Amino acid sequence: MKLFFIAAFLAVAAAAPSSYKPEYKAPSYPAPSYQAPKYPTPSYPSPAYPAPAYPAPAYPAPAYNKDNKYADITITSQSDERNLDGSSQWR
């Protein structure tokens, strides 16, 4: 109960307007009066050699040996159960 009163007191104290007036004011500075320097636009010579063109590597299409050993078996469902103790069951 004491904590409730302390919390209520702190909430009221935080919500009350403050009459504190700070005496310090941050200084204000005038805008700079100098001009930004102007630099000449650089000009770069073009390279004396042509850009290399690399052809795409030619790889043969992969050859897969299809295994028809189980052609008459059809999978209709599967499940993988993870238990809370870290064990699992796969069907």
Side-chain angles (χ1 to χ4, degrees), residues 80-83 85-90:
D80 188 9
E81 297 176 15
R82 306 289 173 147
N83 301 324
D85 63 352
S87 63
S88 65
Q89 285 184 339
W90 184 81

Side-chain angles (χ1 to χ4, degrees), residues 3-47:
L3 288 176
F4 174 75
F5 287 117
I6 292 173
F9 176 76
L10 290 176
V12 170
S18 175
S19 62
Y20 174 71
K21 304 275 188 219
E23 305 237 352
Y24 174 76
K25 291 186 180 181
S28 62
Y29 300 104
S33 61
Y34 61 87
Q35 292 182 356
K38 295 181 181 177
Y39 299 107
T41 304
S43 62
Y44 301 105
S46 61

